[in-house]
Amino acid sequence: MKVSVILGHPQKGSFNHAIAGRAVKTLRDNGHRVYFHDLYSENFNPVLPYGEISRDAVPDTVVEGHCREISDVDGIVIVHPNWWGQPPAILKGWVDRVIRPGVAYQFCEGDSGEGVPKGLLKAGTALVFNTSNTPAQREREVFGDPLESIWKSCILGLCGVSAFYRKMYGVVVTSTGAEREGWLKEVEDTVNQYFPG
Ligand SMILES: Cc1cc2nc3c(=O)[nH]c(=O)nc-3n(C[C@H](O)[C@H](O)[C@H](O)COP(=O)(O)O)c2cc1C
């Protein structure tokens, strides 16, 4: 299978990098072809210009490459920290520019954008791994865990990805090395479950 792994975290050596690294290694060990994008290292420009909004616009070559890739893969793995209940801006901008009309979704004929679009992504499975410093119960009860609906419904579900799994690891700031090692093993087990060899 072909799988895209998209990482949005600015610090090499972060736990997010460790998660992405473990996911990439497990996928490769299982024989999959992996396209890994560390968006900060690639200096991805997240700002969607006006001229790129229309369905018929031709995006720049970097974005065009991402679009070709995301249309073609069988699976997607997203890794990022919880920043204000949202992905970091660099990843939000990747969504704005790459998950675009004609690539990831389209409206039916005669629908100017008010209806329910058809998902175009052929990827059947998406995994989202997040980290945070908020205990899970407070995240759910006080904040409503917005990342769950952002990824599951607003983005991946809308674009036709049917199998979705997400896990938020934390509290990172007070975690022990042994806890983090256990979380990485869980990432590995999850990848093995959804993308076996
Ligand atoms: C700009 C910013 C916003 C953040 N917002 C939240 C938040 O809303 N909730 C939360 O639990 N943690 C928040 N954090 C903490 C990060 O989620 C935390 O540092 C990260 O998950 C730890 O993973 P790492 O060790 O890979 O950096 C925020 C951090 C930054 C820098």
Side-chain angles (χ1 to χ4, degrees):
M1 281 185 165
K2 290 179 266 188
V3 184
S4 283
V5 178
I6 313 293
L7 167 66
H9 192 291
Q11 187 198 356
K12 293 242 185 249
S14 69
F15 186 58
N16 275 259
H17 278 75
I19 292 176
R22 185 65 68 96
V24 167
K25 180 179 186 315
T26 309
L27 286 163
R28 288 194 174 134
D29 287 350
N30 288 350
H32 302 297
R33 184 186 302 178
V34 180
Y35 305 101
F36 175 45
H37 295 282
D38 175 345
L39 296 177
Y40 276 94
S41 299
E42 293 179 7
N43 216 9
F44 183 82
N45 176 3
V47 179
L48 171 66
Y50 174 65
E52 225 175 65
I53 291 178
S54 125
R55 188 195 187 290
D56 302 322
V58 180
D60 77 27
T61 50
V62 172
V63 171
E64 213 178 8
H66 276 275
C67 291
R68 239 192 332 267
E69 180 188 305
I70 211 70
S71 306
D72 187 46
V73 292
D74 309 290
I76 301 170
V77 178
I78 307 270
V79 183
H80 71 85
N82 176 2
W83 281 8
W84 298 108
Q86 304 157 75
I90 201 165
L91 180 53
K92 168 62 165 63
W94 177 86
V95 172
D96 289 347
R97 299 188 76 192
V98 175
I99 306 298
R100 51 177 289 110
V103 169
Y105 67 92
Q106 71 183 23
F107 290 100
C108 301
E109 218 171 303
D111 180 335
S112 2
E114 75 279 21
V116 178
K118 178 176 173 236
L120 297 181
L121 291 183
K122 85 167 198 221
T125 302
L127 311 181
V128 177
F129 297 112
N130 300 134
T131 62
S132 87
N133 284 339
T134 304
Q137 185 178 356
R138 175 167 155 80
E139 180 62 38
R140 255 192 331 273
E141 292 177 2
V142 177
F143 303 116
D145 194 9
L147 285 169
E148 178 73 9
S149 50
I150 287 174
W151 286 115
K152 184 177 184 188
S153 309
C154 304
I155 301 173
L156 295 162
L158 183 142
C159 295
V161 180
S162 53
F164 174 83
Y165 172 90
R166 173 176 164 265
K167 180 71 190 254
M168 180 120 85
Y169 291 104
V171 172
V172 174
V173 75
T174 53
S175 61
T176 63
E179 259 175 315
R180 289 193 295 277
E181 203 33 64
W183 293 338
L184 291 176
K185 176 70 173 67
E186 201 182 301
V187 167
E188 186 179 324
D189 291 345
T190 304
V191 171
N192 278 328
Q193 182 187 336
Y194 284 89
F195 299 103

